[in-house]
Amino acid sequence: MIKLHGVSLSPYYNKVKIALLEKGVNFQEVLTPPSQEDWLLEKSPMGKIPFVEINGHPLAESTVILEWLEDAYPTASLLPPTPNGRALARELMTMLELYVMRPAAPLIGHMMKGSQPSAEQAEEIRQALARGISAVAQLARQAPWLAGEDFSFADLSAAGILPTVGRLSQTFLGEDMTLRLSGCADYLQRLGQRPSVARVWADRDAALAAYMARRE
């Protein structure tokens, strides 16, 4: 039995959750916010989520977990069959996480606190997002999936990151920055038609609604 620790608001948690659903792996979700408590640091040394427990063995970092799942369940692969295709899927995943999600991360803090970024901070985030999304657009295939014909690691990240960044940028920057990625709306529609993604998005939306209700 695999236990998946984290929260449904995390794109990285959702990336792993979609992978588990796609592979048909039996798993249990355990609501676990990030923290620096000793028990959690024993399982995730930086106190981050998600992490998994595989028959009691802890494993942290979302991409490492994906790679473990590929090794353990290779017949339901989430990587393209060719070396170049696999590299592109990993490249797109990394770019989304480093250059799209990371610049938007300060906006999550503002959402949780009910505050607003300064004009200077907002412009810095806008410029960083524009550059990151442009880099993703340069590599994206969308034929029909982000790295080409095969649903892959790139799509797992995109399913968590693009809706989150779209919502944050619309709210705080006055523009859904993800729409600068050509064909993004159609791509997200295709993603939402996959049962794994539809379930994860529904769980995410329920968690967000519950959080906003508590904050108010």
Side-chain angles (χ1 to χ4, degrees), residues 12-77:
Y12 305 101
Y13 176 88
N14 289 333
K15 165 178 128 178
V16 174
K17 184 174 172 179
I18 294 169
L20 288 163
L21 291 168
E22 287 283 334
K23 288 179 175 290
V25 177
N26 187 27
F27 70 101
Q28 174 187 353
E29 294 184 77
V30 183
L31 178 62
T32 309
S35 85
Q36 296 297 302
E37 294 182 25
D38 288 344
W39 77 267
L40 196 149
L41 292 173
E42 290 177 2
K43 301 176 184 297
S44 177
M46 293 299 292
K48 294 168 58 180
I49 57 161
F51 65 91
V52 296
E53 292 182 274
I54 306 158
N55 296 324
H57 174 73
L59 185 64
E61 299 297 334
S62 61
T63 297
V64 175
I65 297 168
L66 290 193
E67 296 288 359
W68 183 90
L69 287 169
E70 279 297 294
D71 288 341
Y73 302 94
T75 55
S77 181

Side-chain angles (χ1 to χ4, degrees), residues 4 41 44 51-52 57 63 78 84 89 97 99-100 106 108 133 144-145 179-180 183 199:
L4 172 62
L41 292 173
S44 177
F51 65 91
V52 296
H57 174 73
T63 297
L78 290 169
N84 285 353
E97 294 177 1
Y99 307 123
V100 179
I108 296 175
I133 290 167
W145 304 113
L179 296 181
R180 296 191 181 196
R199 173 179 161 181

Side-chain angles (χ1 to χ4, degrees), residues 182-200:
S182 178
C184 185
D186 290 339
Y187 169 65
L188 289 175
Q189 185 177 25
R190 288 195 297 276
L191 276 176
Q193 292 170 351
R194 291 187 80 90
S196 62
V197 176
R199 173 179 161 181
V200 166

Side-chain angles (χ1 to χ4, degrees), residues 12 15-16 62-64 66-67 78-79 86-101 136 139 146-147 152-158 161:
Y12 305 101
K15 165 178 128 178
V16 174
S62 61
T63 297
V64 175
L66 290 193
E67 296 288 359
L78 290 169
L79 285 170
R86 296 163 84 88
L88 177 60
R90 291 181 170 109
E91 186 178 16
L92 281 162
M93 174 181 64
T94 301
M95 286 195 156
L96 282 164
E97 294 177 1
L98 292 182
Y99 307 123
V100 179
M101 190 64 235
V136 170
L139 295 174
L146 207 61
S152 73
F153 282 14
D155 303 293
L156 302 179
S157 282
I161 289 171

Side-chain angles (χ1 to χ4, degrees), residues 157-168:
S157 282
I161 289 171
L162 291 178
T164 299
V165 171
R167 182 182 292 113
L168 290 170

